[in-house]
Amino acid sequence: MRYSLITFYLLLFTFCTAGAEPIPIDYYNSQAYRAHECGEKAEAARNFLLYLEEPAKRGMSQAQQDSLYKADKRVYDQAALNAIYLFFSVSDMDGVLRTLPYGRRVQVTQKVEPWEMANKGVTNVYVSGMEAAKEKGMTDLYLELLKEAVVRCPRNKSFTDQLTEYYKTHYSGNMAGAQADLDKIISANPDCADAWYVKGALYFDMQRNNSEARNCFSKAIAINEYHAYACAGMAGTYLEDINIQRRQGKYHLVFSSANQQVKQSVYKKELAEVQTYFFNARTYYEMARELMPDNYGLWGESLLLCYKMLNMKDKYDQLNKEMNEE
């Protein structure tokens, strides 16, 4: 029997590899790094994913896979982070979604300090996964990832803002429904300061319920005293208290030129009452300033207003100069 040259080599390969040991799983991880060094991002991503998927492909039980993952946790975690980053960088959203289950199980290997944001690699898992879900029209997955990101990536304003906007958009006029859904997150993760912050933001934005908002912001601060956004949120509720009462006809003397035409005793009494709100607001804005000194948009103009209304001229002039120099 005569064979073509290609058939001959296939038979030869089969004969030579019959009974041979399978390719080591680590081989795919090594190939991924080699491809990345050569600038072949897509090829590197595919090999990182092969490395992650190979144990299941070889028929290992879930227990065996878990044991292998536990033994080489750092390497597998890094491979997952690398794969998601590379797939996203070449706009391969299918690859991102395929790798996502491995990325979601990555744990931060070092405890994050209260003032730090989560490991950037873990944050990128959710940023990439959410973008892929949106592109593919997978709304349920997007929301699932967003809620998970709020829990796992502390003090990330992008995630908390997105979740707040989601509730405001999809639960417009239904504050009870928004809170019930958010309470599920808090019930499962009672020590998640960001979830309490979002709840406070909803009370403030959707109802102007400053009392309940303060209750939520205070819980966020109690869990994480470095939560600058909760501090600023708390401060904002006191300024909103003033606005609400002004709309109800109070404090018109303090905020108009008419204060020069009445008895000073009447004016001073009204001013003293108003200043209690500005004093409380100032306290929390100064906390936010201390925690995020460069984030003038978070506290700058509002703190200037507090200094002005509290007749703290030196502090007002100093902060005003500092902000104008930026």
Side-chain angles (χ1 to χ4, degrees):
M1 181 181 295
R2 301 181 64 181
Y3 300 101
S4 69
L5 188 60
I6 293 177
T7 303
F8 172 77
Y9 279 118
L10 286 173
L11 288 171
L12 180 63
F13 177 79
T14 301
F15 174 78
C16 292
T17 57
E21 290 292 323
I23 296 174
I25 295 176
D26 288 347
Y27 166 82
Y28 300 104
N29 197 39
S30 300
Q31 285 296 101
Y33 280 106
R34 291 192 186 96
H36 186 259
E37 288 173 1
C38 296
E40 299 173 359
K41 292 183 178 180
E43 181 65 20
R46 284 192 290 270
N47 274 286
F48 279 127
L49 181 56
L50 284 172
Y51 173 64
L52 295 166
E53 293 181 335
E54 193 62 19
K57 288 181 178 179
R58 296 193 181 189
M60 291 186 182
S61 67
Q62 189 60 55
Q64 290 173 319
Q65 293 178 52
D66 291 343
S67 177
L68 182 64
Y69 173 75
K70 184 177 180 180
D72 291 322
K73 179 181 181 301
R74 184 184 63 80
V75 179
Y76 275 102
D77 281 355
Q78 191 60 57
L81 298 179
N82 292 344
I84 289 177
Y85 170 78
L86 291 168
F87 276 129
F88 190 76
S89 69
V90 297
S91 300
D92 185 346
M93 298 306 178
D94 289 323
V96 170
L97 293 173
R98 190 170 155 187
T99 316
L100 195 56
Y102 301 98
R104 292 172 72 177
R105 73 182 183 185
V106 172
Q107 298 293 326
V108 179
T109 54
Q110 196 171 21
K111 180 176 173 57
V112 179
E113 296 295 343
W115 58 86
E116 294 177 333
M117 292 177 67
N119 178 287
K120 290 182 180 179
V122 175
T123 300
N124 185 62
V125 168
Y126 292 98
V127 171
S128 302
M130 287 159 57
E131 286 298 317
K134 282 196 293 187
E135 184 172 305
K136 296 293 182 179
M138 304 169 71
T139 306
D140 289 345
L141 177 60
Y142 167 81
L143 181 58
E144 180 183 328
L145 291 172
L146 178 55
K147 292 178 180 179
E148 193 172 303
V150 167
V151 173
R152 297 197 63 209
C153 303
R155 299 180 70 249
N156 189 305
K157 192 66 160 49
S158 173
F159 293 145
T160 56
D161 281 353
Q162 287 184 71
L163 187 57
T164 302
E165 285 304 311
Y166 170 84
Y167 284 121
K168 288 165 63 178
T169 301
H170 292 81
Y171 289 85
S172 178
N174 181 17
M175 181 67 177
Q179 294 294 353
D181 190 67
L182 185 58
D183 281 345
K184 293 178 184 177
I185 302 176
I186 294 176
S187 178
N189 307 276
D191 292 332
C192 178
D194 283 351
W196 283 108
Y197 167 75
V198 171
K199 188 173 183 179
L202 290 182
Y203 272 121
F204 183 78
D205 291 341
M206 295 177 70
Q207 288 190 331
R208 286 297 188 262
N209 187 333
N210 296 324
S211 177
E212 286 294 340
R214 278 194 284 271
N215 180 51
C216 295
F217 290 141
S218 66
K219 287 182 178 178
I221 296 169
I223 294 169
N224 184 354
E225 62 182 312
Y226 298 93
H227 207 301
Y229 303 118
C231 291
M234 180 78 86
T237 64
Y238 290 108
L239 296 189
E240 184 57 23
D241 276 342
I242 297 173
N243 291 331
I244 290 173
Q245 293 182 74
R246 286 183 65 188
R247 289 192 290 270
Q248 295 172 349
K250 296 187 67 175
Y251 308 138
H252 62 280
L253 295 179
V254 174
F255 297 99
S256 74
S257 58
N259 58 37
Q260 302 299 322
Q261 302 169 14
V262 298
K263 292 182 178 180
Q264 284 298 300
S265 60
V266 177
Y267 166 71
K268 288 180 179 179
K269 180 180 179 181
E270 188 172 293
L271 177 62
E273 189 174 335
V274 170
Q275 284 182 327
T276 60
Y277 293 101
F278 280 107
F279 178 84
N280 288 328
R282 168 209 157 197
T283 300
Y284 284 100
Y285 278 129
E286 286 184 336
M287 290 170 63
R289 180 187 186 183
E290 183 177 351
L291 294 169
M292 289 189 169
D294 298 326
N295 193 343
Y296 294 103
L298 184 63
W299 48 263
E301 293 296 334
S302 297
L303 185 54
L304 275 176
L305 176 62
C306 291
Y307 287 150
K308 179 180 179 180
M309 297 305 299
L310 293 170
N311 298 317
M312 303 176 72
K313 187 176 184 304
D314 289 345
K315 284 187 174 291
Y316 178 92
D317 290 342
Q318 180 182 353
L319 177 56
N320 191 45
K321 179 181 178 182
E322 179 183 321
M323 291 175 63
N324 287 329
E325 289 175 350
E326 285 296 313

